[in-house]
Amino acid sequence: MTNKIVHSLSAIFLIALCIIPDLLFAQTDGSGKPYAGEQAVIAKLFNLNEQDINYHFTAELPGGNFLIIEWNHLSDWNNKADLQHIINLARTYEGQVQDSFKSGTTAKRLDIHIPIKNEPITMKVTEHNIANNVLLLKDNMQTSVKVNMDTIRVIKTIGEKKVHKDQKLVQMQYTFLLKDIDGIKGLDNDKEVIADISDKFDSVVNKYKNKWHNEDNWTRNLSVDYFPVNDYTEKRLVIKMLNYDYEKGRYYSHLGFDFGLGVLSFRNNLCPMLEDGASYIWPSHNSRYSFLRLSNTFFIDYLWPSSTDFKAYHLFFSNLEYGWTKRVQTTHIPVYGASLGLGYARNGTSDTTLLDPSLPMYVYRLFCRFRPGKNFTITLDQYFLGQKGSFYSISGVIRLL
């Protein structure tokens, strides 16, 4: 009967190892529907996926306006003359929908999607009434004063390219933040400033194209801020790496290191444990990263050979594991990551006082990890003791680094 129970538990454990990762990433659509709804289609049509933004270039425009250019791969940057072309298109299409806006003090937004062949153009007009309590008083007359910014966003599809065996669109996202949406027309009078911005951004792109051996490596990213009229020359151009926040799903570089403390239930004993690891990480799907991790697990096992005797032994496991981590937070399964792994330990050292007599010389482990969040890991283990059989344990580790 005991053997049957052990075999049943082993089967359940192995099934869990196989199916949990698939469940974890089975659904990435927050709606739970097989086809995206209207809002999802609109969002994809007029906005780049945040996961596909590696380059974020911002420039101050005349009149207190701003321009933001965002895209995925450095090689997607096409021509410095594109900016003036995009401004011309934005000015043209803004003029065509100007009558659609009802009030001068509302927050206005115009989204424009330009396909590869430049037609047909798709546009979306949005207008919000904002609770504005700023008034201008003159000669017993009062008028609401507009204090918000308007937005024109242009998504330009340049072409298609093959990325990791998938055919993907090459797109550039241009966002104009304007004190008034009509300000897009005034940029025609500032062609020298626009040309200066284009030249500066182009020089930065070319500099890093020459600097980086693989310019389209997924870990490459840049944040560039340019203030062409700043009085301090050294502060006009600021270049730095993007500082992605964790929830955005861009936490990892291609190499990761971690260290944690935890508690392990080992043969019904609660044992303190330390764990460190090094991971090689790469994006394998729109919703997840894959990683290969080498780690060490060290814990102290306490034994009471008799009611008056007490001994402490240590085990040091070397582990190899493969797993997945979420890149987005819209999956239905409440698990942040999962992995499968194997571990090996030699019982004791040359110091025979540390040798645990209840264990064989070599101990192996098969484990499955679940990460409910970034900084906490739960591990289910099956330890193999050769002729002494096997047993199960569970542990929890809090990540400190």
Side-chain angles (χ1 to χ4, degrees):
M1 180 64 71
T2 301
N3 288 336
K4 289 183 178 179
I5 293 175
V6 170
H7 289 309
S8 298
L9 290 174
S10 298
I12 294 172
F13 184 79
L14 291 173
I15 291 173
L17 295 183
C18 295
I19 68 172
I20 288 296
D22 291 332
L23 289 175
L24 174 59
F25 302 107
Q27 301 182 48
T28 57
D29 177 13
S31 66
K33 298 177 181 178
Y35 297 100
E38 179 182 356
Q39 293 302 318
V41 171
I42 291 175
K44 291 180 180 179
L45 187 63
F46 297 112
N47 298 277
L48 284 187
N49 188 333
E50 287 189 350
Q51 300 295 331
D52 293 331
I53 296 176
N54 284 334
Y55 298 91
H56 184 100
F57 284 34
T58 302
E60 183 180 15
L61 301 174
N65 301 313
F66 292 89
L67 162 70
I68 303 171
I69 306 177
E70 296 168 302
W71 72 98
N72 190 345
H73 296 103
L74 195 63
S75 63
D76 295 346
W77 179 269
N78 189 29
N79 191 313
K80 63 182 181 180
D82 285 351
L83 176 56
Q84 185 62 58
H85 176 61
I86 293 296
I87 291 174
N88 295 339
L89 289 175
R91 185 189 69 249
T92 299
Y93 294 119
E94 187 276 334
Q96 293 183 11
V97 300
Q98 191 175 39
D99 293 340
S100 300
F101 297 115
K102 301 176 182 178
S103 172
T105 60
T106 55
K108 304 173 185 65
R109 175 165 178 149
L110 173 61
D111 291 277
I112 305 170
H113 181 269
I114 305 174
I116 296 176
K117 296 183 179 180
N118 294 325
E119 60 179 5
I121 302 295
T122 307
M123 292 191 292
K124 180 169 71 80
V125 176
T126 309
E127 188 173 17
H128 296 288
N129 288 309
I130 296 177
N132 187 356
N133 56 3
V134 180
L135 303 176
L136 179 66
L137 302 178
K138 184 179 181 181
D139 296 332
N140 295 323
M141 299 290 291
Q142 67 178 32
T143 306
S144 296
V145 179
K146 181 177 179 178
V147 294
N148 54 278
M149 301 283 282
D150 292 338
T151 303
I152 297 179
R153 171 165 289 177
V154 181
I155 297 287
K156 177 66 176 81
T157 302
I158 300 172
E160 291 183 299
K161 69 190 306 184
K162 200 168 187 178
V163 180
H164 301 301
K165 300 181 181 180
D166 295 326
Q167 203 71 16
K168 290 191 174 184
L169 295 176
V170 177
Q171 295 181 309
M172 302 287 292
Q173 179 169 281
Y174 300 84
T175 304
F176 299 90
L177 300 178
L178 309 166
K179 287 186 175 179
D180 188 86
I181 200 166
D182 286 342
I184 193 70
K185 299 173 183 176
L187 295 181
D188 258 359
N189 302 323
D190 300 297
K191 290 186 178 180
E192 290 185 3
V193 176
I194 299 303
D196 177 48
I197 292 172
S198 299
D199 288 339
K200 187 63 67 175
F201 284 176
D202 191 64
S203 66
V204 172
V205 170
N206 287 321
K207 172 185 175 182
Y208 282 88
K209 278 186 175 182
N210 295 327
K211 178 179 179 180
W212 290 335
H213 175 68
N214 180 4
E215 64 189 61
D216 289 341
N217 189 304
W218 70 276
T219 61
R220 305 293 190 199
N221 64 78
L222 282 179
S223 173
V224 177
D225 297 324
Y226 183 47
F227 306 94
V229 295
N230 195 307
D231 293 335
Y232 299 95
T233 305
E234 68 276 8
K235 294 185 178 180
R236 287 182 183 175
L237 182 67
V238 180
I239 303 175
K240 56 186 178 182
M241 305 303 289
L242 277 177
N243 183 21
Y244 286 106
D245 59 34
Y246 179 74
E247 292 303 323
K248 194 174 179 181
R250 299 297 299 275
Y251 176 78
Y252 291 110
S253 63
H254 65 294
L255 291 177
F257 302 92
D258 60 90
F259 173 78
L261 299 175
V263 176
L264 169 70
S265 173
F266 189 78
R267 295 187 299 189
N268 299 321
N269 290 334
L270 292 180
C271 307
M273 63 181 295
L274 303 174
E275 186 167 275
D276 60 70
S279 306
Y280 182 81
I281 307 160
W282 66 95
S284 57
H285 192 271
N286 287 336
S287 62
R288 72 184 184 224
Y289 294 107
S290 292
F291 66 87
L292 189 66
R293 180 171 181 260
L294 294 174
S295 63
N296 298 305
T297 303
F298 172 79
F299 65 90
I300 299 175
D301 183 23
Y302 302 98
L303 288 181
W304 284 265
S306 67
S307 59
T308 58
D309 194 12
F310 168 81
K311 291 185 179 295
Y313 304 102
H314 74 258
L315 283 176
F316 186 93
F317 279 89
S318 297
N319 312 300
L320 174 65
E321 62 183 290
Y322 174 78
W324 304 264
T325 302
K326 285 185 182 180
R327 296 181 69 188
V328 294
Q329 303 300 316
T330 57
T331 54
H332 296 318
I333 307 299
V335 179
Y336 169 76
S339 62
L340 316 174
L342 298 169
Y344 155 82
R346 186 176 186 274
N347 179 17
T349 64
S350 56
D351 185 353
T352 57
T353 60
L354 299 176
L355 185 66
D356 185 346
S358 65
L359 295 176
M361 181 61 69
Y362 301 103
V363 182
Y364 301 91
R365 63 188 291 230
L366 172 67
F367 61 88
C368 177
R369 297 187 190 274
F370 306 91
R371 297 179 64 187
K374 170 187 173 183
N375 294 319
F376 184 66
T377 302
I378 298 173
T379 304
L380 303 178
D381 285 281
Q382 184 175 12
Y383 291 92
F384 298 92
L385 310 179
Q387 294 182 351
K388 295 185 178 182
S390 64
F391 64 91
Y392 297 89
S393 76
I394 185 171
S395 62
V397 174
I398 297 176
R399 178 174 175 169
L400 302 179
L401 175 66

